[in-house]
Every structure is written in C-alpha cells, then in structure tokens.
Amino acid sequence: MSEQVRVGVIGTGMMGGDHARNLADGIRGARLTALADADEQRARRLAGEVGVADIYPDGRQLIDSGAVDAVIVAAPDPAHAALVAACLDARLPVLCEKPLAPNAEAARALVARQDALGADLVTVGFMRRFDPGYQALKQRLVEGREGALLMTHSVHRNVEAYPGQDSSATITNSGIHEIDVLPWLSGSPVVGVQWAAGRASSLISERHDPQFMLLRDAAGALHTVELGVHLQYGYDVRCEAVCERATVELPAVPALVEQTPVVLNAGLARQTFYPEDSRARFAAAYRSELAAWIDGIRTGRRHPDAATARDGLRASAVAEALVASMNQGGSPVAVEED
Amino acid sequence: MSEQVRVGVIGTGMMGGDHARNLADGIRGARLTALADADEQRARRLAGEVGVADIYPDGRQLIDSGAVDAVIVAAPDPAHAALVAACLDARLPVLCEKPLAPNAEAARALVARQDALGADLVTVGFMRRFDPGYQALKQRLVEGREGALLMTHSVHRNVEAYPGQDSSATITNSGIHEIDVLPWLSGSPVVGVQWAAGRASSLISERHDPQFMLLRDAAGALHTVELGVHLQYGYDVRCEAVCERATVELPAVPALVEQTPVVLNAGLARQTFYPEDSRARFAAAYRSELAAWIDGIRTGRRHPDAATARDGLRASAVAEALVASMNQGGSPVAVEED
Amino acid sequence: MSEQVRVGVIGTGMMGGDHARNLADGIRGARLTALADADEQRARRLAGEVGVADIYPDGRQLIDSGAVDAVIVAAPDPAHAALVAACLDARLPVLCEKPLAPNAEAARALVARQDALGADLVTVGFMRRFDPGYQALKQRLVEGREGALLMTHSVHRNVEAYPGQDSSATITNSGIHEIDVLPWLSGSPVVGVQWAAGRASSLISERHDPQFMLLRDAAGALHTVELGVHLQYGYDVRCEAVCERATVELPAVPALVEQTPVVLNAGLARQTFYPEDSRARFAAAYRSELAAWIDGIRTGRRHPDAATARDGLRASAVAEALVASMNQGGSPVAVEED
Amino acid sequence: MSEQVRVGVIGTGMMGGDHARNLADGIRGARLTALADADEQRARRLAGEVGVADIYPDGRQLIDSGAVDAVIVAAPDPAHAALVAACLDARLPVLCEKPLAPNAEAARALVARQDALGADLVTVGFMRRFDPGYQALKQRLVEGREGALLMTHSVHRNVEAYPGQDSSATITNSGIHEIDVLPWLSGSPVVGVQWAAGRASSLISERHDPQFMLLRDAAGALHTVELGVHLQYGYDVRCEAVCERATVELPAVPALVEQTPVVLNAGLARQTFYPEDSRARFAAAYRSELAAWIDGIRTGRRHPDAATARDGLRASAVAEALVASMNQGGSPVAVEED
C-alpha cells in the first residue's frame, strides 16, 4: 500500500460530499483520489471543490479501478449491500453508511461472505460511537465509579420527516442509531424489544410520530427511546444513563470542550466540567486558525480574522498602557497611536 | 510554490507540538516538512510522531533552508521577534505565537520592517478569533439585531500561575488575548485603559491575582476584564456583550455544536440553540470516525469503536424485531441470535 | 363558621408538623387550633412550637370536639380511611395526605359515602398540582400554542428507600404522585398501563429499583415514568411534555421565579425565562423580610440581616460618593466615615 | 403589646399593597390593622382586598392613632424621612422602604435622632438580604471553604427606566441595592468607589445607561457592578463571588429550591445542587395547597386543582393496575372504570 491510503467515495450527495470534504481538509494518512456517481454533473462539481481528477459513473468501476486502497459507500441505501459485496470481492476496506443492507437477512449474507474470506473489511458508519459526548459517557460507565448501569433514557428528535416513508422507516433509519449505540454504551447486546406509540402528531400523516421503544440488553439493563422525526423544534439527541449511585447525562447540546461534554448527577450535585487549560478549551480554534492561515497563503488572500503584525503591535501597546496604569496605582492611561 | 504549502515549525514544545500534530492530522493544502529546535532529542521525538525527516538545530537554518514555504514560530517568547524578522528577510509567510515581540517598540519595528517590504507576511497567533464561540458572538454583533454594543464583561481564569512571573506578565501573557479579541469583537480599537486590583489571593505570592482591567474603545464601548491566573477551580473564559436590546453571552463552556455556541438574552428569555440536523450535531463524530477508519487501515488494527459488519447485522436484527412488535400492536419480541 | 377557619391537625410527625408550621406561619383565613396524636410528648412539643393549647390523644376526639371547622389527616397511612370517614360523618372538610385509602376498593367506599351525603368534603394531598413548576407546565399545555400533547416523560428519584417495603410500595407510595399529576396535566384520565423493570440496583435488596411505567390516557397520550427510590444522588423530579411543535420541560431544579420555572424547546432554541421586575424576582425575599422584622419586634431581638438605620446611612454615603465620582468624570472617591 | 403585632402600612401603591397582601396572607405573629394614604379611593380598594377597616388620610395620623404597634413606610420617597422621624417620636418600630432619606446628611440626622433615644426602631427595606439566593451565597462565604473573598461581579438590569430621572437616580434608586448587599455579603464596609460609563444606549435619552461602578471594601475586596435600567430584555440580577479556590455564583434565575440556589465552580466542575427530599423540593407547593384548601372552605368554591376523593380513587385504581402488570411480568392492563 502506498504511504497514504487512497480513498474513493461512491455517492456525491450530502453524505458523500461531507466525507469527501473531510478527506480534502485533511485526515492523517489518507488522500481522496476518486469519486463515483451516476449523476456526472454533481460528481464533477464536488471533484472541483475537493481537488480530485478521477471520476467514475459507477461505483463498481471505482472499486475495480485499482486506483483506490479503500472505499466509502455513500450511495443511495438500496445500493449499499451490492457495493459492499463488490468491495469484499476486491478485498478493499469499506466504510459503508448505514444501513449496511436493506434487512437482517441481507446483512447476514454479507457477514457470511466476509467470514468466508477470513477478512475484516467492513466498517458501518455508526458515527455516534465517535461523538465526544457518547465517548465521554461510555468512558464514565466503563470506569464504573457510578455503579452498575441499570437503565438508559434516550430521545432522538428531528425537525422534519423525510417525505414518503412509513412508521418502520423511523426505526430503521433514525432509531438505528440508538439501536447501535446503546448496546455499545452498555457493552451488552440487545436481546428483547418492545414498541409503543400514543397519540400521533397531526402535522404528519403517513406515520406514528413520535414512537417509543424499549430495548433490553443481555445484562438486564432497560433502554428506553423516544423517536420523533417531525417534532419541529430542533435536532435533539439526548441520553441519560442511570447507574446505581449516579446518573450521567449527554445533554441536548453538549459542551464544546471535547473531554468533558457530559453532565454528572452525583452527591446532591449536578456537575458540568471545566477544561484544565486553554489547549483543551481552544483546540478547535488552534486548528481552524492554522487552516485559515494556510488557505490565505495558497490563495494569496489573508483570512479577515487572521491577526496581522499591526494587530500584534496594537495588543502590545494596550498591554503596555495597562502596565503603566498598574504602576501608577490605577489611573486612566491613553493608548498611544500606533 | 508547490501544490501543497510546505510548513516548517520552529520550537517543538507544547505549542509547537500541537501545531505539528494538527498539520500531520491534515490541514487542506499544507504539508509539514521540517522542524527546528535546539533540543535535538525533543525535536527527534516529535519528528517521529508526525512523520517528518527534516530537523534543524536552529530556527534560522530552517528559515534559510529553502525547504519550507511558510514558518510557524513557536520558540520561546524572547526569540519571536528575531525569527519573525528572519522570515521577513526571507519573504516567508510566518505564523508567530503571541507575543509578536517583547514590547510595543519592538513590535513597531517589525511592522515598519514589513511595511518597508511592501508585503503582508506576518500572522500573530491570536487564536481566539477562530474559536467557534467568539466567532458566533461576533457574528451576532455584526448582524446588529441586538442594537449597538455598549459594554462587554470578560473573565479569564487559569488554574495555576506559571512560576517566576510578576503582575505585568498576567497582562502581557494572559490578558493579551482579551486585549486582542475585544476590539476585534467590537470592531473598534482600544483608546484608553485603566487597571485595578483588590485583595490578592494568598495562594500565590509574587503577584496581584486576580486583576481587573477597563478598556475603552474608539466607539465608546467599555470592556471590563477580570484576569486571574491562579484561581484553582478550572480554566474559565467567558464574555458577555451588552447591547441596547439584548445581551449575548459566550458561556464558560460553550456548546459543542459549532454554529450555535452562544447564549442570547432577549425578549424575557435566555436562549441556547439547537442544531437543525445531525450533520451539524455530529460533525466532529463524522470526522473522527473517518480518521479512526483510516488509521485502522494503515496500522492493520481496527479501532475498537469502529462498527463491524456484525454490528450492522445486529442493529438490523433489533430494528426488525421492533417493527415486528409494532405490527403486533406492541407486544414484546425477542431478538434472534445472529 | 367563625371568621377564620379553625383547623385541627391529626398526626404530629413530619408531614403533620409541616402543615401545622405552615398554618402558624400564616395562611389567610385559617387558624390552627388543635392537634391530635397518640404520641402525647410529640404532640406537646409541636403544640409549644406552633402556639396551640388544644391537644387530643385520638384523631376521632379532635374530629368530634366541635373545636375545629376543618381537619388535616396526617396520621399513619393505615388510619387515613377511617379518619376521613369520621370527618364525613361529622361533615367536616378534610385534607387527607395520600393515600386516601389502602386500596381502590376502600377509596371507592369513601367516594360512595361522600356521594350519599351529597357533599364535597374530601381533598387529597396531591400537592404537586400546586407546585409552581407543574402549574406553569400545565398552563402552557392549556394555552395550546405548542400543539397537542403527544407524550410525557417523567423521572422520580429518591435518595434512599424506606426500609421494609416491597416493589409495589414504589408504585403506591412514590409513583402515586405521577399517577395523579400526569392525567391532571394532560386533562385526560389514564385508561391503560404497563409496567417494566430491568437490572435492579444491588444497593437495595427488597425490591426492583428503578422501575418503569407506561400510562396511556383517554386522549391517546403516552406517559412514561422512571421511578427509582434508592438512586443515591439526590431527590430528582422531572417531566418533559412532548407536543406537536415544541416540548416543555420541568427541569430537575426549576427556577426560583414562580411565574417562569419551565424550559421551552421551540424554534431551534432552548429557552428559560426572565422575570419582568424585582417584585417577581424577589417575592420570597419581601415576604421573608417581613416575617423577620415581625419576629424581631415580638422577641425583642433584631434579625441579624435586617438593615438598620446606620445601614441605610452607609448606603446613602456610598451612593453619594459614586455620584461624586460621576460628576468628576470617574475619578476615585473615598467614602466618608459615618 | 397585644399577642399579635398590629401593623399599619403607610402608602397603598405597589409596594405598600404587596406588604399589605403579605400580611393578610399570614405572617406569624402579625396582624394588619391599618392603612394610610392621601389617595382615599386607592386605600379603600386595598382595605377591601386585605380585610382592614381602619384607614387614615395621613401617615402621621396612623402613627399617632395608638391603633398600631409597628409601621411600614411605603409612601413616596420624599416622605420617608419625616415619617420615620414621626415613628421614632412615637417609639414605634418602623420598616421603611428604601431610601431611608433623600441624602446621607438626612440619613445621618435620623441615625442621630434614634441614637439620642437609645433605641433601635428603624429597619430599612433592603430585602435582598432575605433572598434565598443571596443568603445561600453569603452562607458559603461565611463557611470559608472557598478561601478568602477577592472580588465580586454583579449585574443589575431592568427592562425599562422610570421616566424623568437622571443618571444619579440609577445609582441612588437601583444601585443602592448592590451598595447595601455587597458589603453585607463580604462582611466589610465600602471605603472607596469609582464610577465609569461608556457608550450609552440610544433607546433612552436622559441618562448614561448602562453605568459601571467599582466598590472597594475595608478588607480589600473589589466589587464591580454593571447597572443598566433600560436594557429591555428582562429583569436580571446576578452576582459572582470570586474566592481563592472557587467562585460562587448567584445566577440570573436561581433555583426554586431555597436551600440551594447558587452555582459553585470548584474542582474543575460547575455544580448546581439537588434537594434531598420532597419536602425541600415541594415546600412552596405544600403551602400553596393549604392556602387553596382553606380558601375553598371559606368561599365554598373548591379550588379547581384541589384533588377530590374521586381523584384519590382514580390514582388508586391506576396504581393497582400497575401492580397487576408487575405481577403479570409486564403485560398491558386496562384501568377499571371508577
């Protein structure tokens, strides 16, 4: 394999576009080298944006091109299973957006096909496992100071439903994220389920909304999930893990600081956490500053927020005026013109 | 210039290491190609981590090597001005960690040197301008719906002071961030200042802590800042902008969702904001998932959180059991063994 | 009836004591005139604290004494139904702490007994209906701007279980509050229920903890409730009402300002509410100040926080110094000695 | 003195009305017996509402009537000092709304007059000292675990300014509350002050708004206060106390639970507090329930939220259905009709 993994993206819609842009922005060890889409115009637009020359009208061609070391499948859902199978045949690692397959039977067939190869090539795009919030939540559960996990309560609410879907799509498209991430959190597979719904929203006609699910895992923990795909007010994903001595919450909008996005309810206090220093607090800012600086160098147009030498001078002049005020016991000091 | 900007980092301590790692993780259009540090062992360790072969014992050598298109200066503070001057002489774009120079006079000299070249090569590392929180705050001020900006109130608190510094270092090292970012926020330079302090913490002997500063900008806005470098409890940076009709707050720990980290006080309500969809909420997760997948491919060791085909199958099986429960009017359904 | 309602309290334990103290602190139109308890010493202690002379060893004697116009039943649970029946016979209004009766059959008998009298004498102590939080939540639901109520999610967690009770006591003693308040909130009676539990806390042996209940009301709304009586971390009661266009939350610890303790999730924002003026914000302070002032007059010992004339003078002197500073353009001004 | 303190209220406007209503609602040991106001109609309306027969056209007549044991002065500000002086002459305890006097000189005269009597009769209506939030804040400072108090930061914002006042009224009418409560919090008198203002709101013409004050107390603590009387968005009073090891915040809208309304920033966590049990959480509900029950008895109209015997029966029936579901392993159970 070349030093950098050459990645091809199949599907140049919203999800494929995001993956391509993330690769173009820079992922250590990876290089985006090819795109595939039947919609040639869309593929061409994205190729221009991310600086890729290689475009295929069909995913299988990309897989068989020899020009990629790994494949991202972000094509329409019905195409997923066949494209993943093609990657298996080509022995290419593949990151497949959910769902892996249209149903469990088809998924089982893919697993069998991979097992027959004795390989481990397929990754499914259950990205919540990489959310700093869910990761911090799991981390606390694994540490175990809060006692055993007894229940979890989740809500998953979208602003507007995709049109033309029925009640089961709420489960297989939206609920699938909780279905994956809750046993991942608890470290125990789901062994039994129950579904419920009550009064449905009158703002959407085709399906029960919201729905309610109970999942039971092998360790006995009960997971409750409210799923509402047309609840208007905002995209809202929350989870509370109820342990023997405390609960740990992933709030609606977790904190920016990646190490500490959860809320801990313990010892008569509800606690959110501070970072220890500016590197933790401003990690995103440092990265974004660097990207803006490089972009300015390449394009010859300085980013408007990048501080100039004159900005540095001004800050020094103000700081000196403050020190002068300090030395004078706090009197007002004018800042010298540059 | 080559297709990708070749970047050299001078200084391989904490800040230089962070910049180098960010570059290695991937910044669109950039490639880390050289490091410089008098501490050869430290430089070598970092070089191994970030995959760079070119190491220089001295920053000037790196600048003059011809092997870099741009330079990051993260050397000790006293060396900054001379290294920036060397970059100017070599006509290389330079991102210099604050402070640009030891005092306003030295900063003025650098500005003059750059002006004499008729170039715009220097960027100062005031990274707060790139923090999603400060950016969202500025965005709201620029939009102007809240009326004119009248005052801002900031706090900037560190857990522990660096030893061996005096009261003026609190201003020039820590306060310098507010000194830069507040006029950037208000769009108006600071024209007058005043310093104050009260009872000092007994936990630190060498300096006034906390301190208090008043900055006045040319548009008349008054900016108040509490600076405490030894306040023990956490790294805490906050800012509240008081406008004619509302205030906009950057809270202690802003929200993860980058578009919407501020708090708006308006119309008898205190408002925080929801993302509109999962792409906004889980942007970091998508990127992190991709990085973990690539890393697994390169190292041959799958990331433990990356979902396998079997995970995909399990999720499908649970989803199907839920749909079965739905179709049976909500009765309990066991999940089939894989 | 005398101008003020003469109230007798049966039971002088924790709940009876609280009721008696509330009456002694002052309830418009009421006067606490009698106590009853088999534990004479405890009754006597409380009588001394609240300034009541009339003590009965038995609740029925108090009811038949002719010395009270209304009765509060705060005796042990098993005695409730008989005492309420005695109040009905005596045609006395009665406020009975929950439970009204040991089971539905006994409650039905009391209802029939009252119906036979053609009277409306019994009030059950479901105090959550008077909580500013639940009231504000109901108010918003009644206003209907958020659309129809679809689901509610509640948690009810205690720090420690009462010893010697079984799993059903969690429902009949703790859950009974949600069982009453949720149909009150939705304006629709519960018509069907379902119970669930998962892994139980190892910190308590006698019962399932936590438990989970699903209640369905006649209007179709689904109410989910987690009940945990031994969850260690704090007393935590929350409720979220999911409507078609927004959700309304009663948070764990609602706001002090009585008019506005809920959280509204609507229009991409999470909103908490400000009071309009100091009367709303400081209503409790005004009342408490008044009580402290009166207590100081009666006892001859000024409350340590009641501001003296000298405090008033000091405040005036500081205010005048500030106005002087203003008139001098902001220079420092010393405050004159009193 | 009679068993209950007979209280007269001078002034029947907003503040006098609130005091009168609080007394009528019940303050232990007090009885409202007289009102005074030059506006006879307004006085009569309030008298009817609070059930008082004795009305005087003039505060001095009330003071000299012999019909009151204590006096509340809630007349217009200019009348305060003379009415307090009359109370001193009559040796009556007086609770005087702020300001005690129009200026420090007049306040000094009142203090001297009281000192000459050797009495302690005057209480000034600085009600913030009785706010559960400020009390909890002071309590933590007194306990001292957070280390010495170094600074405080307050904001005090009103929605709309009273018309016809100038910049000094902001200090003497609104700021006076901080001027009193901050030295009360710190336990140390203010010895020096400084005033500042920046750009003024264009929405109000007569005065600087917002203003900024620095107060220095004898122990060295620096208190900063932003005062804005026309800031539109809500009534907002906050205070943060910066100690050596932690900060304690009184947030904009503190928690309902009276024991625990502050926020503690300590040990890398931001902590709010849970009550320990339902008595702490629902104290207001218990009191309000009792008041509603008594009111229903007196008026013959049951409060719509007071739970009837039938409500008690319904709750029992639902609880029994849940226990049945539990005993059947979680199957759905219909609730029997009453």
Side-chain angles (χ1 to χ4, degrees):
Chain A
M1 185 179 299
S2 67
E3 196 191 285
Q4 285 195 309
V5 178
R6 297 168 305 158
V7 182
V9 174
I10 302 174
T12 60
M14 200 167 67
M15 286 306 310
D18 282 352
H19 283 302
R21 277 182 289 270
N22 272 334
L23 286 162
D25 285 343
I27 294 290
R28 192 190 286 220
R31 194 153 46 95
L32 175 64
T33 54
L35 298 175
D37 203 313
D39 181 338
E40 194 190 321
Q41 217 174 351
R42 186 167 71 171
R44 208 170 290 281
R45 257 200 318 273
L46 181 62
E49 184 186 343
V50 298
V52 160
D54 228 8
I55 305 181
Y56 299 86
D58 182 83
R60 280 164 193 271
Q61 281 181 255
L62 180 148
I63 292 166
D64 296 333
S65 65
V68 299
D69 304 312
V71 175
I72 293 176
V73 172
D77 292 1
H80 287 190
L83 289 165
V84 169
C87 288
L88 286 175
D89 291 347
R91 308 269 166 140
L92 287 179
V94 55
L95 173 62
C96 179
E97 273 307 304
K98 58 95 192 163
L100 177 59
N103 51 48
E105 194 188 340
R108 206 170 280 116
L110 281 176
V111 169
R113 194 162 183 160
Q114 178 174 253
D115 287 352
L117 297 175
D120 177 15
L121 295 167
V122 180
T123 296
V124 184
F126 288 134
M127 84 294 178
R128 286 208 194 165
R129 300 167 172 222
F130 293 92
D131 175 58
Y134 278 104
Q135 291 195 320
L137 182 46
K138 177 163 184 163
Q139 178 64 20
R140 287 209 79 103
L141 297 181
V142 167
E143 287 168 4
R145 275 173 294 172
E146 277 74 62
L149 177 67
L150 306 176
M151 281 194 190
T152 70
H153 303 297
S154 296
V155 304
H156 178 162
R157 298 175 186 147
N158 294 325
V159 173
E160 284 211 323
Y162 290 107
Q165 295 188 329
D166 65 4
S167 291
S168 65
T170 297
I171 297 169
T172 54
N173 278 15
S174 296
I176 199 78
H177 282 296
E178 272 79 15
I179 288 171
D180 175 69
V181 88
L182 292 172
W184 171 84
L185 263 183
S186 68
S188 174
V190 173
V191 295
V193 303
Q194 193 162 7
W195 177 92
R199 181 168 179 167
S201 172
S202 65
L203 304 181
I204 179 171
S205 51
E206 309 90 354
R207 42 179 158 178
H208 290 288
D209 198 70
Q211 303 180 11
F212 194 76
M213 337 190 293
L214 285 172
L215 311 178
R216 225 172 258 284
D217 72 28
L222 187 66
H223 305 275
T224 81
V225 182
E226 184 218 299
L227 286 174
V229 295
H230 200 71
L231 285 177
Q232 310 289 307
Y233 74 84
Y235 181 76
D236 192 356
V237 167
R238 314 180 200 169
C239 183
E240 180 177 25
V242 183
C243 300
E244 287 171 312
R245 284 188 209 89
T247 83
V248 192
E249 290 180 49
L250 177 62
V253 186
L256 178 65
V257 179
E258 304 211 348
Q259 295 83 337
T260 57
V262 295
V263 175
L264 177 67
N265 294 300
L268 293 182
R270 178 176 180 84
Q271 302 173 53
T272 54
F273 298 98
Y274 284 104
E276 290 190 62
D277 57 31
S278 63
R279 291 168 67 215
R281 167 64 183 83
F282 289 111
Y286 280 114
R287 183 173 172 87
S288 172
E289 175 195 53
L290 202 48
W293 176 61
I294 292 292
D295 193 62
I297 293 170
R298 291 172 71 218
T299 62
R301 286 189 303 276
R302 168 186 286 275
H303 189 286
D305 293 329
T308 63
R310 189 155 260 113
D311 291 327
L313 164 57
R314 272 187 197 131
S316 286
V318 173
E320 288 189 2
L322 279 160
V323 173
S325 176
M326 181 200 295
N327 293 336
Q328 295 162 25
S331 54
V333 173
V335 176
E336 298 280 310
E337 291 290 308
D338 300 347
Chain B
M1 185 180 298
S2 66
E3 195 190 286
Q4 285 195 308
V5 178
R6 298 169 304 158
V7 182
V9 174
I10 302 174
T12 60
M14 200 168 67
M15 285 306 310
D18 282 352
H19 283 302
R21 276 182 290 270
N22 273 333
L23 285 162
D25 285 343
I27 295 289
R28 192 190 286 218
R31 196 153 45 96
L32 175 63
T33 54
L35 298 175
D37 203 313
D39 181 338
E40 194 188 323
Q41 216 173 354
R42 187 169 69 172
R44 210 170 289 282
R45 258 200 318 273
L46 181 62
E49 184 186 343
V50 296
V52 160
D54 227 8
I55 305 182
Y56 298 87
D58 182 81
R60 281 165 192 271
Q61 281 181 256
L62 180 147
I63 291 166
D64 296 333
S65 66
V68 298
D69 305 312
V71 176
I72 293 176
V73 172
D77 292 1
H80 287 188
L83 289 165
V84 169
C87 289
L88 286 175
D89 292 347
R91 308 268 166 140
L92 287 179
V94 55
L95 172 63
C96 179
E97 274 307 305
K98 57 95 194 163
L100 176 59
N103 51 49
E105 194 189 338
R108 204 170 282 119
L110 281 175
V111 169
R113 193 161 184 160
Q114 178 174 253
D115 287 353
L117 297 175
D120 176 15
L121 295 167
V122 180
T123 296
V124 184
F126 288 134
M127 84 295 179
R128 286 207 194 165
R129 300 167 171 221
F130 292 93
D131 175 58
Y134 278 104
Q135 290 194 319
L137 182 45
K138 177 162 183 162
Q139 178 65 20
R140 287 208 78 102
L141 297 182
V142 167
E143 288 168 2
R145 275 173 295 173
E146 277 74 63
L149 177 67
L150 306 176
M151 281 194 190
T152 70
H153 302 297
S154 297
V155 305
H156 179 162
R157 298 175 185 147
N158 294 326
V159 173
E160 285 210 323
Y162 290 106
Q165 294 189 330
D166 66 4
S167 292
S168 65
T170 296
I171 297 168
T172 55
N173 278 16
S174 296
I176 198 77
H177 282 296
E178 272 78 16
I179 288 170
D180 175 69
V181 89
L182 293 172
W184 171 83
L185 263 182
S186 68
S188 174
V190 172
V191 294
V193 304
Q194 193 163 6
W195 177 93
R199 181 169 180 166
S201 172
S202 65
L203 305 180
I204 179 171
S205 52
E206 308 90 352
R207 42 178 157 178
H208 290 288
D209 199 70
Q211 303 180 10
F212 194 76
M213 336 189 294
L214 286 172
L215 310 180
R216 224 172 260 283
D217 71 28
L222 188 67
H223 305 275
T224 82
V225 182
E226 184 217 300
L227 286 173
V229 295
H230 200 70
L231 285 177
Q232 309 289 305
Y233 75 84
Y235 181 76
D236 193 356
V237 167
R238 312 181 202 168
C239 182
E240 180 177 25
V242 183
C243 301
E244 287 172 312
R245 285 187 210 89
T247 82
V248 192
E249 289 180 50
L250 178 62
V253 186
L256 177 66
V257 178
E258 302 211 348
Q259 295 83 336
T260 56
V262 294
V263 176
L264 177 67
N265 294 301
L268 294 180
R270 179 177 179 84
Q271 302 172 53
T272 54
F273 298 98
Y274 284 103
E276 289 190 63
D277 57 33
S278 63
R279 292 168 68 215
R281 167 67 183 81
F282 288 111
Y286 280 114
R287 183 174 172 88
S288 173
E289 175 194 52
L290 202 49
W293 176 61
I294 292 292
D295 193 63
I297 293 170
R298 290 173 71 217
T299 61
R301 285 189 306 276
R302 168 187 285 276
H303 189 285
D305 293 330
T308 64
R310 189 155 261 113
D311 290 327
L313 164 57
R314 271 186 198 135
S316 286
V318 173
E320 289 188 1
L322 279 160
V323 173
S325 176
M326 182 199 297
N327 292 337
Q328 295 162 26
S331 54
V333 173
V335 175
E336 298 280 311
E337 293 288 309
D338 300 345
Chain C
M1 186 179 295
S2 66
E3 197 192 282
Q4 285 195 310
V5 178
R6 298 168 306 159
V7 181
V9 174
I10 302 174
T12 59
M14 201 168 68
M15 286 306 310
D18 282 352
H19 283 303
R21 277 182 289 270
N22 272 335
L23 286 162
D25 284 343
I27 295 291
R28 192 190 286 218
R31 196 152 45 94
L32 175 64
T33 54
L35 298 174
D37 203 313
D39 180 337
E40 193 189 322
Q41 218 175 349
R42 187 168 70 171
R44 211 170 288 282
R45 256 200 318 272
L46 181 62
E49 183 186 344
V50 297
V52 160
D54 228 9
I55 305 181
Y56 299 87
D58 183 82
R60 281 164 193 270
Q61 280 180 255
L62 180 148
I63 291 165
D64 296 332
S65 66
V68 299
D69 304 313
V71 175
I72 292 175
V73 173
D77 291 2
H80 286 190
L83 288 165
V84 168
C87 289
L88 286 175
D89 292 347
R91 308 268 166 141
L92 287 179
V94 55
L95 173 62
C96 179
E97 274 306 305
K98 57 96 195 161
L100 176 59
N103 51 49
E105 193 188 340
R108 205 171 280 118
L110 281 176
V111 168
R113 195 162 182 160
Q114 177 172 253
D115 287 352
L117 295 176
D120 177 14
L121 295 167
V122 179
T123 296
V124 184
F126 287 135
M127 84 294 176
R128 285 207 194 166
R129 299 167 172 221
F130 293 92
D131 175 58
Y134 278 105
Q135 291 195 320
L137 182 46
K138 177 162 185 163
Q139 178 65 20
R140 287 208 79 102
L141 297 181
V142 167
E143 287 168 4
R145 275 173 293 174
E146 276 75 62
L149 177 68
L150 307 176
M151 281 195 190
T152 70
H153 302 297
S154 296
V155 304
H156 178 163
R157 297 173 187 149
N158 295 324
V159 174
E160 283 211 322
Y162 290 106
Q165 295 190 330
D166 65 2
S167 290
S168 65
T170 297
I171 297 168
T172 55
N173 279 15
S174 296
I176 199 77
H177 282 296
E178 272 78 16
I179 288 171
D180 175 69
V181 88
L182 292 172
W184 171 84
L185 263 183
S186 68
S188 173
V190 173
V191 295
V193 303
Q194 193 163 5
W195 177 94
R199 182 168 178 167
S201 173
S202 66
L203 305 180
I204 179 172
S205 52
E206 309 90 352
R207 42 178 158 179
H208 290 290
D209 199 71
Q211 303 180 10
F212 194 76
M213 335 189 295
L214 285 172
L215 310 179
R216 224 173 259 283
D217 72 28
L222 189 66
H223 304 276
T224 82
V225 183
E226 183 218 301
L227 286 173
V229 295
H230 200 71
L231 285 177
Q232 309 291 307
Y233 75 83
Y235 181 76
D236 192 356
V237 167
R238 312 181 202 168
C239 182
E240 180 177 25
V242 183
C243 301
E244 286 171 313
R245 283 188 211 89
T247 82
V248 193
E249 289 181 50
L250 178 62
V253 185
L256 179 66
V257 179
E258 304 211 348
Q259 294 83 335
T260 57
V262 294
V263 176
L264 178 67
N265 294 301
L268 293 181
R270 179 177 179 84
Q271 302 172 52
T272 55
F273 299 97
Y274 283 103
E276 289 190 63
D277 57 32
S278 62
R279 290 169 69 214
R281 168 65 183 81
F282 288 112
Y286 279 113
R287 183 175 171 86
S288 173
E289 174 194 53
L290 202 49
W293 177 60
I294 291 292
D295 194 61
I297 294 171
R298 289 174 72 216
T299 61
R301 286 190 304 275
R302 168 185 285 276
H303 188 285
D305 292 331
T308 64
R310 189 155 261 111
D311 289 329
L313 165 56
R314 271 186 198 133
S316 286
V318 173
E320 288 188 3
L322 278 160
V323 173
S325 175
M326 181 199 296
N327 292 337
Q328 295 162 27
S331 55
V333 173
V335 176
E336 297 281 310
E337 292 289 310
D338 300 345
Chain D
M1 187 178 298
S2 65
E3 197 191 281
Q4 285 196 309
V5 177
R6 297 169 305 159
V7 181
V9 174
I10 302 175
T12 60
M14 202 168 66
M15 286 306 310
D18 282 354
H19 284 302
R21 276 182 290 271
N22 272 335
L23 286 162
D25 284 344
I27 294 291
R28 194 191 284 219
R31 196 152 46 93
L32 175 64
T33 55
L35 298 175
D37 203 312
D39 181 338
E40 194 189 323
Q41 218 174 349
R42 187 168 69 171
R44 211 169 288 281
R45 259 201 316 274
L46 181 62
E49 184 186 344
V50 297
V52 160
D54 229 7
I55 305 181
Y56 299 87
D58 182 83
R60 280 164 194 270
Q61 281 180 255
L62 181 149
I63 292 166
D64 296 333
S65 66
V68 300
D69 304 313
V71 175
I72 293 175
V73 172
D77 291 3
H80 287 190
L83 289 166
V84 168
C87 289
L88 286 175
D89 292 346
R91 308 267 166 143
L92 288 179
V94 56
L95 173 62
C96 179
E97 274 307 306
K98 57 95 191 160
L100 176 59
N103 52 49
E105 192 189 341
R108 206 170 280 118
L110 281 176
V111 168
R113 194 162 184 160
Q114 178 173 252
D115 287 353
L117 296 177
D120 177 14
L121 295 168
V122 179
T123 296
V124 183
F126 287 135
M127 83 294 177
R128 286 208 194 164
R129 298 166 173 224
F130 293 92
D131 175 58
Y134 278 104
Q135 291 195 320
L137 182 46
K138 177 164 185 162
Q139 178 65 20
R140 286 208 80 102
L141 297 181
V142 166
E143 288 168 2
R145 275 173 293 171
E146 277 74 63
L149 177 69
L150 305 176
M151 281 195 191
T152 70
H153 302 298
S154 297
V155 304
H156 178 161
R157 298 174 186 148
N158 295 325
V159 174
E160 284 211 324
Y162 290 106
Q165 295 188 329
D166 66 3
S167 291
S168 65
T170 297
I171 297 168
T172 55
N173 279 16
S174 295
I176 198 79
H177 282 296
E178 273 78 16
I179 288 171
D180 175 70
V181 88
L182 293 172
W184 171 84
L185 264 183
S186 67
S188 173
V190 173
V191 296
V193 303
Q194 192 162 6
W195 177 94
R199 181 168 181 168
S201 172
S202 66
L203 304 181
I204 179 171
S205 52
E206 308 90 352
R207 42 178 158 179
H208 290 288
D209 199 71
Q211 302 181 11
F212 195 76
M213 335 189 295
L214 286 172
L215 311 178
R216 225 172 257 284
D217 71 28
L222 188 66
H223 305 275
T224 81
V225 182
E226 183 218 301
L227 286 173
V229 294
H230 200 72
L231 284 176
Q232 310 289 307
Y233 75 82
Y235 181 76
D236 193 356
V237 167
R238 313 180 200 169
C239 182
E240 180 176 26
V242 183
C243 301
E244 286 172 313
R245 284 188 210 88
T247 83
V248 192
E249 289 180 50
L250 178 62
V253 185
L256 179 66
V257 179
E258 303 209 349
Q259 296 84 332
T260 56
V262 294
V263 176
L264 177 67
N265 294 301
L268 293 181
R270 178 177 181 83
Q271 303 173 52
T272 54
F273 299 98
Y274 283 103
E276 289 190 62
D277 58 31
S278 63
R279 291 168 68 215
R281 168 65 182 81
F282 288 111
Y286 279 115
R287 183 175 171 86
S288 173
E289 175 194 52
L290 202 48
W293 177 60
I294 292 292
D295 194 61
I297 293 171
R298 289 174 73 218
T299 61
R301 286 190 305 275
R302 168 186 286 276
H303 189 286
D305 292 330
T308 64
R310 189 155 261 115
D311 290 328
L313 165 56
R314 269 185 200 135
S316 285
V318 173
E320 289 189 1
L322 280 160
V323 173
S325 176
M326 181 199 295
N327 292 337
Q328 294 162 27
S331 55
V333 174
V335 176
E336 298 279 310
E337 291 290 309
D338 301 344

